[in-house]
Amino acid sequence: MPTRASVPTRASVKRFVRRQAMRAAYRTDLRRPLDPDLAVYGAYWNRGVACNPAAIHAKARELVPHIRGVWAVSSRHRDRMPAGVPYVIEGSRPYWRAMATATYLVNNSSFPGGFTKRPGQRYLQTHHGTPLKTMGLDQRAYPALARRADFGKILAHVGQWDFSLSANPHTTEVWDRVYPGAYERLDLGYPRNDVYFTATAEDIAKIRAELGIADGRTALLYAPTHRDYRTGFVPDLDPERLARQLGPDYVVLVRAHYFYGRSAGVGAVEAGAGTGQVIDVTGHPRVEELCLAADALIADYSSLVFDYACLDRPIVVHAPDQAAYRAARGTYFDLLSGRPGDTPGTVTTDPERLADVFRTGEWRSPEAAALRTAFRERFCPYDDGHAAERVVRRFFAPAE
């Protein structure tokens, strides 16, 4: 006799019937002609308008206005959609029709739910960072990662790409190895970094004011990456303690990884809420604006370090858990080595040392600046404020 738990509920039956109806409708739409002027954009597994796809979408509206861009977004994140930006809800009837008939597909991760890529569709994989931690097939060497990954699906996804975007030679080398495929490599820079070269002093002042950063204060952005061996956001420094140690002339912006939701949960005030020394900016929609607002970055293994380097502002690497992180995830080079090209600035592994770096001025010393210059030369060679234009002109050009 079936148990109570195994008896289908009315809601589960309705969901099953709806999925089947959507699949049938999608199969019908796959027989429709492709729309030569339709592009579907997605970012961070349909979390909203962000990253390289956002910059490409904005530039496409300027350079190829006949292309209609629509964003794929999950129902949980529809509140993040800016006013006036067209979107379809993941899994809905309009979503599947768009996926079936769009000529252009742009994503920095993947389109959840799977889709059948048709002949004539052009898929641009923009990625969402420079690889410091191991990615793709290289994760097979790390059992904790390999158990959670489906490498067959990864390769199937790579097989859909027509273009793969890269920000620097290191990235191109890694993508070629960990995502083997027949796609075309686009060594054009990351469009999301264009704003670092085009923002004006007035733009930056406005962002700082909106965040609640008072005039004359030094803003430090602390944005640690996700740890595969931890549950939840557990920062390697106490932002409130650091702020107290540095005094009222400093403010610490705390941004948790998007895996952890929209709040850092560290007792910080919300952005724009006043003159607190610690401001939670996790829910801010554009990390690029946070970088523009910050006078320095406190970095760890996050790919944000490579983007922030475009600004040529001080970077302090604070990573007390280097051994654990490298054992669990692996890295392609030693960010803490102090070698020019590998390390973007002063390195700390102790909270007291971190506070001293700022109190003594070491964070902006000539030695730190020299490391930053070598790092920029290695990882930001294509970033110049025009990456989005290059990508749009290449990707939306008529197929040869």
Side-chain angles (χ1 to χ4, degrees), residues 42-46 50-53 106-110 123-129 192:
Y44 297 115
W45 298 274
N46 294 352
C51 193
N52 292 314
V106 182
N107 209 307
N108 75 350
S109 49
S110 63
Y123 188 172
L124 168 61
Q125 173 56 242
T126 74
H127 306 278
H128 53 272
R192 70 184 186 186

Side-chain angles (χ1 to χ4, degrees), residues 44-305:
Y44 297 115
W45 298 274
N46 294 352
R47 281 179 166 85
V49 179
C51 193
N52 292 314
I56 294 168
H57 176 229
K59 185 58 68 172
R61 295 174 72 174
E62 173 188 334
L63 298 180
V64 285
H66 63 284
I67 300 293
R68 304 187 320 279
V70 60
W71 281 81
V73 61
S74 74
S75 59
R76 292 177 298 138
H77 300 292
R78 66 191 309 167
D79 63 308
R80 294 185 175 185
M81 294 302 297
V85 176
Y87 67 91
V88 290
I89 297 297
E90 174 190 331
S92 68
R93 182 75 181 87
Y95 170 84
W96 286 115
R97 174 163 289 187
M99 292 301 297
T101 60
T103 294
Y104 304 99
L105 304 168
V106 182
N107 209 307
N108 75 350
S109 49
S110 63
F111 292 100
F115 71 97
T116 301
K117 182 167 179 283
R118 300 172 60 184
Q121 286 188 314
R122 291 157 68 88
Y123 188 172
L124 168 61
Q125 173 56 242
T126 74
H127 306 278
H128 53 272
T130 289
L132 169 61
K133 58 191 174 187
T134 55
M135 301 292 291
L137 298 185
D138 281 351
Q139 295 181 14
R140 292 175 296 182
Y142 297 87
L145 298 175
R147 283 196 297 269
R148 298 195 300 266
D150 186 327
F151 295 105
K153 285 186 178 180
I154 290 174
L155 292 175
H157 181 219
V158 172
Q160 296 174 325
W161 304 351
D162 296 291
F163 301 93
S164 173
L165 189 60
S166 177
N168 48 64
H170 161 78
T171 298
T172 302
E173 178 185 345
V174 172
W175 292 163
D176 282 352
R177 182 178 68 255
V178 306
Y179 299 125
Y183 50 79
E184 180 178 337
R185 288 88 177 148
L186 298 184
D187 296 329
L188 301 177
Y190 275 165
R192 70 184 186 186
N193 291 343
D194 285 352
V195 68
Y196 299 139
F197 299 88
T198 60
T200 65
E202 291 75 16
D203 294 332
I204 295 172
K206 180 181 178 182
I207 295 168
R208 286 173 65 97
E210 290 174 347
L211 291 172
I213 304 171
D215 291 343
R217 300 180 87 182
T218 298
L220 309 178
L221 175 59
Y222 176 52
T225 192
H226 167 68
R227 262 67 170 171
D228 296 280
Y229 61 91
R230 291 180 184 168
T231 301
F233 179 56
V234 183
D236 281 314
L237 64 85
D238 182 341
E240 295 174 310
R241 181 182 180 188
L242 176 64
R244 288 195 303 270
Q245 290 173 315
L246 297 182
D249 290 339
Y250 283 81
V251 59
V252 180
L253 310 177
V254 182
R255 185 177 181 85
H257 193 276
Y258 59 84
F259 281 179
Y260 303 128
R262 304 189 189 188
S263 172
V266 294
V269 299
E270 293 183 359
T275 57
Q277 270 195 269
V278 179
I279 302 175
D280 186 348
V281 293
T282 302
H284 193 81
R286 294 199 63 194
V287 70
E288 294 83 9
E289 291 188 353
L290 302 179
C291 290
L292 287 169
D295 296 290
L297 174 69
I298 301 176
D300 58 358
Y301 314 102
S302 170
S303 64
L304 189 63
V305 67

